[in-house]
PDB file of all heavy atoms in Angstrom:
ATOM      1  N   PRO A  95     182.352 186.050 133.070  1.00 98.00           N
ATOM      2  CA  PRO A  95     183.393 185.187 132.525  1.00 98.00           C
ATOM      3  C   PRO A  95     184.767 185.869 132.740  1.00 98.00           C
ATOM      4  O   PRO A  95     184.902 187.108 132.605  1.00 98.00           O
ATOM      5  CB  PRO A  95     183.034 185.071 131.041  1.00 98.00           C
ATOM      6  CG  PRO A  95     182.351 186.363 130.749  1.00 98.00           C
ATOM      7  CD  PRO A  95     181.513 186.698 132.029  1.00 98.00           C
ATOM      8  N   ILE A  96     185.819 185.052 132.960  1.00 98.00           N
ATOM      9  CA  ILE A  96     187.099 185.597 133.248  1.00 98.00           C
ATOM     10  C   ILE A  96     188.221 184.666 132.819  1.00 98.00           C
ATOM     11  O   ILE A  96     187.996 183.444 132.739  1.00 98.00           O
ATOM     12  CB  ILE A  96     187.245 185.899 134.764  1.00 98.00           C
ATOM     13  CG1 ILE A  96     188.402 186.848 135.100  1.00 98.00           C
ATOM     14  CG2 ILE A  96     187.327 184.585 135.574  1.00 98.00           C
ATOM     15  CD1 ILE A  96     188.412 187.368 136.463  1.00 98.00           C
ATOM     16  N   ALA A  97     189.387 185.217 132.482  1.00 98.00           N
ATOM     17  CA  ALA A  97     190.520 184.420 132.167  1.00 98.00           C
ATOM     18  C   ALA A  97     191.721 184.931 133.030  1.00 98.00           C
ATOM     19  O   ALA A  97     192.023 186.140 133.020  1.00 98.00           O
ATOM     20  CB  ALA A  97     190.927 184.535 130.678  1.00 98.00           C
ATOM     21  N   ILE A  98     192.324 184.062 133.831  1.00 98.00           N
ATOM     22  CA  ILE A  98     193.476 184.400 134.649  1.00 98.00           C
ATOM     23  C   ILE A  98     194.697 183.982 133.895  1.00 98.00           C
ATOM     24  O   ILE A  98     194.839 182.875 133.428  1.00 98.00           O
ATOM     25  CB  ILE A  98     193.429 183.724 136.024  1.00 98.00           C
ATOM     26  CG1 ILE A  98     192.119 184.068 136.756  1.00 98.00           C
ATOM     27  CG2 ILE A  98     194.648 184.043 136.826  1.00 98.00           C
ATOM     28  CD1 ILE A  98     191.967 185.516 137.122  1.00 98.00           C
ATOM     29  N   VAL A  99     195.735 184.883 133.856  1.00 98.00           N
ATOM     30  CA  VAL A  99     196.927 184.626 133.099  1.00 98.00           C
ATOM     31  C   VAL A  99     198.134 184.563 134.085  1.00 98.00           C
ATOM     32  O   VAL A  99     198.278 185.464 134.916  1.00 98.00           O
ATOM     33  CB  VAL A  99     197.239 185.701 132.040  1.00 98.00           C
ATOM     34  CG1 VAL A  99     198.465 185.338 131.216  1.00 98.00           C
ATOM     35  CG2 VAL A  99     195.994 185.930 131.139  1.00 98.00           C
ATOM     36  N   LEU A 100     198.898 183.487 133.989  1.00 97.00           N
ATOM     37  CA  LEU A 100     200.136 183.390 134.797  1.00 97.00           C
ATOM     38  C   LEU A 100     201.281 183.162 133.816  1.00 97.00           C
ATOM     39  O   LEU A 100     201.154 182.607 132.812  1.00 97.00           O
ATOM     40  CB  LEU A 100     200.035 182.262 135.779  1.00 97.00           C
ATOM     41  CG  LEU A 100     199.142 182.546 136.988  1.00 97.00           C
ATOM     42  CD1 LEU A 100     197.794 181.861 136.820  1.00 97.00           C
ATOM     43  CD2 LEU A 100     199.804 182.283 138.290  1.00 97.00           C
ATOM     44  N   GLY A 101     202.529 183.594 134.284  1.00 95.00           N
ATOM     45  CA  GLY A 101     203.667 183.586 133.413  1.00 95.00           C
ATOM     46  C   GLY A 101     204.707 182.544 133.753  1.00 95.00           C
ATOM     47  O   GLY A 101     204.591 181.753 134.659  1.00 95.00           O
ATOM     48  N   ASN A 102     205.788 182.643 132.974  1.00 93.00           N
ATOM     49  CA  ASN A 102     206.960 181.777 133.156  1.00 93.00           C
ATOM     50  C   ASN A 102     207.555 181.942 134.537  1.00 93.00           C
ATOM     51  O   ASN A 102     207.538 183.023 135.117  1.00 93.00           O
ATOM     52  CB  ASN A 102     207.967 182.121 132.090  1.00 93.00           C
ATOM     53  CG  ASN A 102     209.292 181.426 132.219  1.00 93.00           C
ATOM     54  OD1 ASN A 102     210.192 181.885 132.896  1.00 93.00           O
ATOM     55  ND2 ASN A 102     209.433 180.308 131.524  1.00 93.00           N
ATOM     56  N   GLU A 103     208.141 180.838 135.071  1.00 91.00           N
ATOM     57  CA  GLU A 103     208.648 180.833 136.411  1.00 91.00           C
ATOM     58  C   GLU A 103     209.721 181.891 136.673  1.00 91.00           C
ATOM     59  O   GLU A 103     209.839 182.439 137.777  1.00 91.00           O
ATOM     60  CB  GLU A 103     209.249 179.478 136.747  1.00 91.00           C
ATOM     61  CG  GLU A 103     208.256 178.387 136.900  1.00 91.00           C
ATOM     62  CD  GLU A 103     207.970 177.612 135.539  1.00 91.00           C
ATOM     63  OE1 GLU A 103     208.265 178.189 134.467  1.00 91.00           O
ATOM     64  OE2 GLU A 103     207.398 176.543 135.579  1.00 91.00           O
ATOM     65  N   GLU A 104     210.501 182.236 135.620  1.00 89.00           N
ATOM     66  CA  GLU A 104     211.597 183.181 135.803  1.00 89.00           C
ATOM     67  C   GLU A 104     211.263 184.566 135.178  1.00 89.00           C
ATOM     68  O   GLU A 104     211.474 185.622 135.805  1.00 89.00           O
ATOM     69  CB  GLU A 104     212.892 182.690 135.178  1.00 89.00           C
ATOM     70  CG  GLU A 104     213.473 181.474 135.897  1.00 89.00           C
ATOM     71  CD  GLU A 104     214.748 180.993 135.325  1.00 89.00           C
ATOM     72  OE1 GLU A 104     215.262 181.690 134.426  1.00 89.00           O
ATOM     73  OE2 GLU A 104     215.254 179.930 135.759  1.00 89.00           O
ATOM     74  N   LYS A 105     210.694 184.596 133.977  1.00 91.00           N
ATOM     75  CA  LYS A 105     210.487 185.811 133.197  1.00 91.00           C
ATOM     76  C   LYS A 105     209.103 186.396 133.496  1.00 91.00           C
ATOM     77  O   LYS A 105     208.880 187.544 133.143  1.00 91.00           O
ATOM     78  CB  LYS A 105     210.685 185.546 131.723  1.00 91.00           C
ATOM     79  CG  LYS A 105     212.080 185.104 131.356  1.00 91.00           C
ATOM     80  CD  LYS A 105     212.155 184.801 129.876  1.00 91.00           C
ATOM     81  CE  LYS A 105     213.563 184.333 129.508  1.00 91.00           C
ATOM     82  NZ  LYS A 105     213.669 184.010 128.055  1.00 91.00           N
ATOM     83  N   GLY A 106     208.198 185.616 134.019  1.00 93.00           N
ATOM     84  CA  GLY A 106     206.869 186.090 134.234  1.00 93.00           C
ATOM     85  C   GLY A 106     206.043 186.169 132.959  1.00 93.00           C
ATOM     86  O   GLY A 106     206.321 185.476 131.937  1.00 93.00           O
ATOM     87  N   ILE A 107     205.051 187.064 132.908  1.00 96.00           N
ATOM     88  CA  ILE A 107     204.182 187.155 131.746  1.00 96.00           C
ATOM     89  C   ILE A 107     204.859 188.076 130.647  1.00 96.00           C
ATOM     90  O   ILE A 107     205.422 189.021 131.030  1.00 96.00           O
ATOM     91  CB  ILE A 107     202.812 187.773 132.166  1.00 96.00           C
ATOM     92  CG1 ILE A 107     202.080 186.821 133.149  1.00 96.00           C
ATOM     93  CG2 ILE A 107     201.940 187.999 130.927  1.00 96.00           C
ATOM     94  CD1 ILE A 107     200.854 187.409 133.748  1.00 96.00           C
ATOM     95  N   SER A 108     204.720 187.666 129.406  1.00 96.00           N
ATOM     96  CA  SER A 108     205.379 188.447 128.369  1.00 96.00           C
ATOM     97  C   SER A 108     204.834 189.882 128.277  1.00 96.00           C
ATOM     98  O   SER A 108     203.662 190.134 128.635  1.00 96.00           O
ATOM     99  CB  SER A 108     205.184 187.728 127.026  1.00 96.00           C
ATOM    100  OG  SER A 108     203.823 187.671 126.682  1.00 96.00           O
ATOM    101  N   ARG A 109     205.621 190.736 127.759  1.00 95.00           N
ATOM    102  CA  ARG A 109     205.308 192.197 127.730  1.00 95.00           C
ATOM    103  C   ARG A 109     204.064 192.466 126.957  1.00 95.00           C
ATOM    104  O   ARG A 109     203.165 193.266 127.386  1.00 95.00           O
ATOM    105  CB  ARG A 109     206.446 192.974 127.138  1.00 95.00           C
ATOM    106  CG  ARG A 109     206.243 194.490 127.151  1.00 95.00           C
ATOM    107  CD  ARG A 109     207.461 195.176 126.490  1.00 95.00           C
ATOM    108  NE  ARG A 109     208.696 194.833 127.186  1.00 95.00           N
ATOM    109  CZ  ARG A 109     209.901 195.257 126.792  1.00 95.00           C
ATOM    110  NH1 ARG A 109     210.008 195.969 125.644  1.00 95.00           N
ATOM    111  NH2 ARG A 109     210.991 194.950 127.419  1.00 95.00           N
ATOM    112  N   ASP A 110     203.864 191.779 125.794  1.00 97.00           N
ATOM    113  CA  ASP A 110     202.679 192.069 124.958  1.00 97.00           C
ATOM    114  C   ASP A 110     201.383 191.667 125.637  1.00 97.00           C
ATOM    115  O   ASP A 110     200.376 192.362 125.526  1.00 97.00           O
ATOM    116  CB  ASP A 110     202.829 191.335 123.590  1.00 97.00           C
ATOM    117  CG  ASP A 110     203.835 191.985 122.673  1.00 97.00           C
ATOM    118  OD1 ASP A 110     204.211 193.161 122.935  1.00 97.00           O
ATOM    119  OD2 ASP A 110     204.276 191.345 121.741  1.00 97.00           O
ATOM    120  N   ILE A 111     201.437 190.544 126.311  1.00 97.00           N
ATOM    121  CA  ILE A 111     200.219 190.108 127.014  1.00 97.00           C
ATOM    122  C   ILE A 111     199.958 191.014 128.165  1.00 97.00           C
ATOM    123  O   ILE A 111     198.756 191.376 128.431  1.00 97.00           O
ATOM    124  CB  ILE A 111     200.381 188.633 127.417  1.00 97.00           C
ATOM    125  CG1 ILE A 111     200.375 187.730 126.262  1.00 97.00           C
ATOM    126  CG2 ILE A 111     199.270 188.219 128.440  1.00 97.00           C
ATOM    127  CD1 ILE A 111     200.454 186.269 126.485  1.00 97.00           C
ATOM    128  N   LEU A 112     200.971 191.428 128.904  1.00 97.00           N
ATOM    129  CA  LEU A 112     200.741 192.359 130.014  1.00 97.00           C
ATOM    130  C   LEU A 112     200.067 193.653 129.515  1.00 97.00           C
ATOM    131  O   LEU A 112     199.174 194.194 130.153  1.00 97.00           O
ATOM    132  CB  LEU A 112     202.061 192.693 130.734  1.00 97.00           C
ATOM    133  CG  LEU A 112     202.602 191.664 131.761  1.00 97.00           C
ATOM    134  CD1 LEU A 112     204.001 192.140 132.245  1.00 97.00           C
ATOM    135  CD2 LEU A 112     201.665 191.559 132.938  1.00 97.00           C
ATOM    136  N   LYS A 113     200.582 194.101 128.380  1.00 97.00           N
ATOM    137  CA  LYS A 113     200.129 195.369 127.809  1.00 97.00           C
ATOM    138  C   LYS A 113     198.690 195.279 127.360  1.00 97.00           C
ATOM    139  O   LYS A 113     197.927 196.260 127.453  1.00 97.00           O
ATOM    140  CB  LYS A 113     201.030 195.743 126.649  1.00 97.00           C
ATOM    141  CG  LYS A 113     200.654 197.062 125.950  1.00 97.00           C
ATOM    142  CD  LYS A 113     201.609 197.350 124.783  1.00 97.00           C
ATOM    143  CE  LYS A 113     201.233 198.625 124.067  1.00 97.00           C
ATOM    144  NZ  LYS A 113     202.148 198.913 122.938  1.00 97.00           N
ATOM    145  N   ASN A 114     198.251 194.137 126.859  1.00 97.00           N
ATOM    146  CA  ASN A 114     196.952 194.025 126.231  1.00 97.00           C
ATOM    147  C   ASN A 114     195.880 193.419 127.125  1.00 97.00           C
ATOM    148  O   ASN A 114     194.698 193.453 126.780  1.00 97.00           O
ATOM    149  CB  ASN A 114     197.067 193.232 124.951  1.00 97.00           C
ATOM    150  CG  ASN A 114     197.766 193.959 123.809  1.00 97.00           C
ATOM    151  OD1 ASN A 114     197.096 194.804 123.118  1.00 97.00           O
ATOM    152  ND2 ASN A 114     199.039 193.754 123.682  1.00 97.00           N
ATOM    153  N   ALA A 115     196.222 192.908 128.285  1.00 98.00           N
ATOM    154  CA  ALA A 115     195.265 192.352 129.196  1.00 98.00           C
ATOM    155  C   ALA A 115     194.341 193.424 129.763  1.00 98.00           C
ATOM    156  O   ALA A 115     194.823 194.601 129.878  1.00 98.00           O
ATOM    157  CB  ALA A 115     195.941 191.535 130.299  1.00 98.00           C
ATOM    158  N   ASP A 116     193.229 193.123 130.269  1.00 98.00           N
ATOM    159  CA  ASP A 116     192.295 194.122 130.869  1.00 98.00           C
ATOM    160  C   ASP A 116     192.799 194.605 132.186  1.00 98.00           C
ATOM    161  O   ASP A 116     192.682 195.768 132.530  1.00 98.00           O
ATOM    162  CB  ASP A 116     190.907 193.499 131.007  1.00 98.00           C
ATOM    163  CG  ASP A 116     190.233 193.166 129.743  1.00 98.00           C
ATOM    164  OD1 ASP A 116     190.268 194.009 128.829  1.00 98.00           O
ATOM    165  OD2 ASP A 116     189.707 192.062 129.585  1.00 98.00           O
ATOM    166  N   GLU A 117     193.365 193.696 133.008  1.00 97.00           N
ATOM    167  CA  GLU A 117     193.832 194.087 134.306  1.00 97.00           C
ATOM    168  C   GLU A 117     195.131 193.386 134.695  1.00 97.00           C
ATOM    169  O   GLU A 117     195.446 192.273 134.214  1.00 97.00           O
ATOM    170  CB  GLU A 117     192.789 193.691 135.372  1.00 97.00           C
ATOM    171  CG  GLU A 117     191.501 194.542 135.407  1.00 97.00           C
ATOM    172  CD  GLU A 117     191.724 195.940 135.914  1.00 97.00           C
ATOM    173  OE1 GLU A 117     192.783 196.205 136.451  1.00 97.00           O
ATOM    174  OE2 GLU A 117     190.828 196.765 135.778  1.00 97.00           O
ATOM    175  N   LYS A 118     195.912 194.079 135.505  1.00 97.00           N
ATOM    176  CA  LYS A 118     197.147 193.486 136.110  1.00 97.00           C
ATOM    177  C   LYS A 118     196.966 193.535 137.556  1.00 97.00           C
ATOM    178  O   LYS A 118     196.839 194.635 138.197  1.00 97.00           O
ATOM    179  CB  LYS A 118     198.400 194.264 135.678  1.00 97.00           C
ATOM    180  CG  LYS A 118     198.635 194.158 134.165  1.00 97.00           C
ATOM    181  CD  LYS A 118     199.989 194.828 133.788  1.00 97.00           C
ATOM    182  CE  LYS A 118     199.926 196.348 133.916  1.00 97.00           C
ATOM    183  NZ  LYS A 118     199.077 196.936 132.829  1.00 97.00           N
ATOM    184  N   LEU A 119     197.000 192.388 138.252  1.00 97.00           N
ATOM    185  CA  LEU A 119     196.809 192.336 139.713  1.00 97.00           C
ATOM    186  C   LEU A 119     197.924 191.525 140.369  1.00 97.00           C
ATOM    187  O   LEU A 119     198.502 190.637 139.795  1.00 97.00           O
ATOM    188  CB  LEU A 119     195.464 191.700 140.022  1.00 97.00           C
ATOM    189  CG  LEU A 119     194.192 192.322 139.365  1.00 97.00           C
ATOM    190  CD1 LEU A 119     193.017 191.480 139.725  1.00 97.00           C
ATOM    191  CD2 LEU A 119     194.037 193.715 139.929  1.00 97.00           C
ATOM    192  N   LYS A 120     198.183 191.874 141.649  1.00 95.00           N
ATOM    193  CA  LYS A 120     199.181 191.191 142.395  1.00 95.00           C
ATOM    194  C   LYS A 120     198.620 190.695 143.710  1.00 95.00           C
ATOM    195  O   LYS A 120     197.623 191.103 144.177  1.00 95.00           O
ATOM    196  CB  LYS A 120     200.391 192.099 142.627  1.00 95.00           C
ATOM    197  CG  LYS A 120     200.153 193.245 143.600  1.00 95.00           C
ATOM    198  CD  LYS A 120     201.408 194.009 143.862  1.00 95.00           C
ATOM    199  CE  LYS A 120     201.191 195.120 144.870  1.00 95.00           C
ATOM    200  NZ  LYS A 120     202.407 195.877 145.193  1.00 95.00           N
ATOM    201  N   LEU A 121     199.442 189.744 144.305  1.00 94.00           N
ATOM    202  CA  LEU A 121     199.123 189.327 145.634  1.00 94.00           C
ATOM    203  C   LEU A 121     199.942 190.127 146.654  1.00 94.00           C
ATOM    204  O   LEU A 121     201.115 190.305 146.422  1.00 94.00           O
ATOM    205  CB  LEU A 121     199.455 187.818 145.802  1.00 94.00           C
ATOM    206  CG  LEU A 121     198.587 186.856 145.000  1.00 94.00           C
ATOM    207  CD1 LEU A 121     199.135 185.428 145.133  1.00 94.00           C
ATOM    208  CD2 LEU A 121     197.142 186.890 145.451  1.00 94.00           C
ATOM    209  N   PRO A 122     199.355 190.603 147.705  1.00 92.00           N
ATOM    210  CA  PRO A 122     200.144 191.331 148.702  1.00 92.00           C
ATOM    211  C   PRO A 122     201.135 190.458 149.385  1.00 92.00           C
ATOM    212  O   PRO A 122     200.828 189.278 149.729  1.00 92.00           O
ATOM    213  CB  PRO A 122     199.102 191.888 149.709  1.00 92.00           C
ATOM    214  CG  PRO A 122     197.917 190.945 149.502  1.00 92.00           C
ATOM    215  CD  PRO A 122     197.911 190.542 148.060  1.00 92.00           C
ATOM    216  N   MET A 123     202.331 190.924 149.577  1.00 88.00           N
ATOM    217  CA  MET A 123     203.387 190.121 150.281  1.00 88.00           C
ATOM    218  C   MET A 123     204.009 191.008 151.361  1.00 88.00           C
ATOM    219  O   MET A 123     204.403 192.118 151.120  1.00 88.00           O
ATOM    220  CB  MET A 123     204.441 189.651 149.225  1.00 88.00           C
ATOM    221  CG  MET A 123     203.902 188.673 148.223  1.00 88.00           C
ATOM    222  SD  MET A 123     205.143 188.110 146.994  1.00 88.00           S
ATOM    223  CE  MET A 123     205.246 189.541 145.995  1.00 88.00           C
ATOM    224  N   TYR A 124     204.148 190.438 152.549  1.00 89.00           N
ATOM    225  CA  TYR A 124     204.607 191.206 153.685  1.00 89.00           C
ATOM    226  C   TYR A 124     205.960 190.725 154.245  1.00 89.00           C
ATOM    227  O   TYR A 124     206.495 191.351 155.161  1.00 89.00           O
ATOM    228  CB  TYR A 124     203.558 191.176 154.749  1.00 89.00           C
ATOM    229  CG  TYR A 124     202.229 191.683 154.274  1.00 89.00           C
ATOM    230  CD1 TYR A 124     201.138 190.812 154.017  1.00 89.00           C
ATOM    231  CD2 TYR A 124     202.004 193.032 154.017  1.00 89.00           C
ATOM    232  CE1 TYR A 124     199.923 191.249 153.600  1.00 89.00           C
ATOM    233  CE2 TYR A 124     200.756 193.478 153.570  1.00 89.00           C
ATOM    234  CZ  TYR A 124     199.745 192.590 153.328  1.00 89.00           C
ATOM    235  OH  TYR A 124     198.541 193.051 152.840  1.00 89.00           O
ATOM    236  N   GLY A 125     206.457 189.591 153.775  1.00 89.00           N
ATOM    237  CA  GLY A 125     207.672 189.070 154.286  1.00 89.00           C
ATOM    238  C   GLY A 125     208.853 189.546 153.441  1.00 89.00           C
ATOM    239  O   GLY A 125     208.800 190.439 152.644  1.00 89.00           O
ATOM    240  N   LYS A 126     210.034 188.934 153.723  1.00 84.00           N
ATOM    241  CA  LYS A 126     211.231 189.292 153.006  1.00 84.00           C
ATOM    242  C   LYS A 126     211.376 188.598 151.658  1.00 84.00           C
ATOM    243  O   LYS A 126     212.128 189.045 150.812  1.00 84.00           O
ATOM    244  CB  LYS A 126     212.465 189.031 153.881  1.00 84.00           C
ATOM    245  CG  LYS A 126     212.470 189.868 155.162  1.00 84.00           C
ATOM    246  CD  LYS A 126     213.658 189.534 156.043  1.00 84.00           C
ATOM    247  CE  LYS A 126     213.711 190.425 157.260  1.00 84.00           C
ATOM    248  NZ  LYS A 126     214.885 190.125 158.156  1.00 84.00           N
ATOM    249  N   THR A 127     210.751 187.452 151.507  1.00 83.00           N
ATOM    250  CA  THR A 127     210.824 186.723 150.219  1.00 83.00           C
ATOM    251  C   THR A 127     210.052 187.504 149.189  1.00 83.00           C
ATOM    252  O   THR A 127     208.904 188.000 149.423  1.00 83.00           O
ATOM    253  CB  THR A 127     210.194 185.343 150.380  1.00 83.00           C
ATOM    254  OG1 THR A 127     210.801 184.659 151.441  1.00 83.00           O
ATOM    255  CG2 THR A 127     210.435 184.501 149.070  1.00 83.00           C
ATOM    256  N   ASP A 128     210.647 187.675 147.998  1.00 76.00           N
ATOM    257  CA  ASP A 128     210.083 188.634 147.055  1.00 76.00           C
ATOM    258  C   ASP A 128     209.066 188.003 146.000  1.00 76.00           C
ATOM    259  O   ASP A 128     208.570 188.684 145.170  1.00 76.00           O
ATOM    260  CB  ASP A 128     211.205 189.310 146.248  1.00 76.00           C
ATOM    261  CG  ASP A 128     212.053 188.383 145.468  1.00 76.00           C
ATOM    262  OD1 ASP A 128     211.826 187.134 145.514  1.00 76.00           O
ATOM    263  OD2 ASP A 128     212.996 188.803 144.778  1.00 76.00           O
TER     264      ASP A 128
END
């Protein structure tokens, strides 16, 4: 079982949720858009 968390379009995921989640993962990006 798993729960994926996504954040606000500008601010992202709130600090407390980032701190308390089991994992923080990103998508690899290779272009100039950030």
Side-chain angles (χ1 to χ4, degrees):
I96 196 168
I98 302 297
V99 184
L100 286 104
N102 174 272
E103 291 90 342
E104 294 182 5
K105 299 178 181 178
I107 298 171
S108 63
R109 184 181 302 175
D110 286 342
I111 290 180
L112 280 174
K113 180 180 178 181
N114 288 278
D116 294 313
E117 288 288 349
K118 296 187 288 288
L119 302 175
K120 69 176 182 179
L121 293 173
M123 292 180 286
Y124 304 107
K126 295 181 179 180
T127 306
D128 61 0

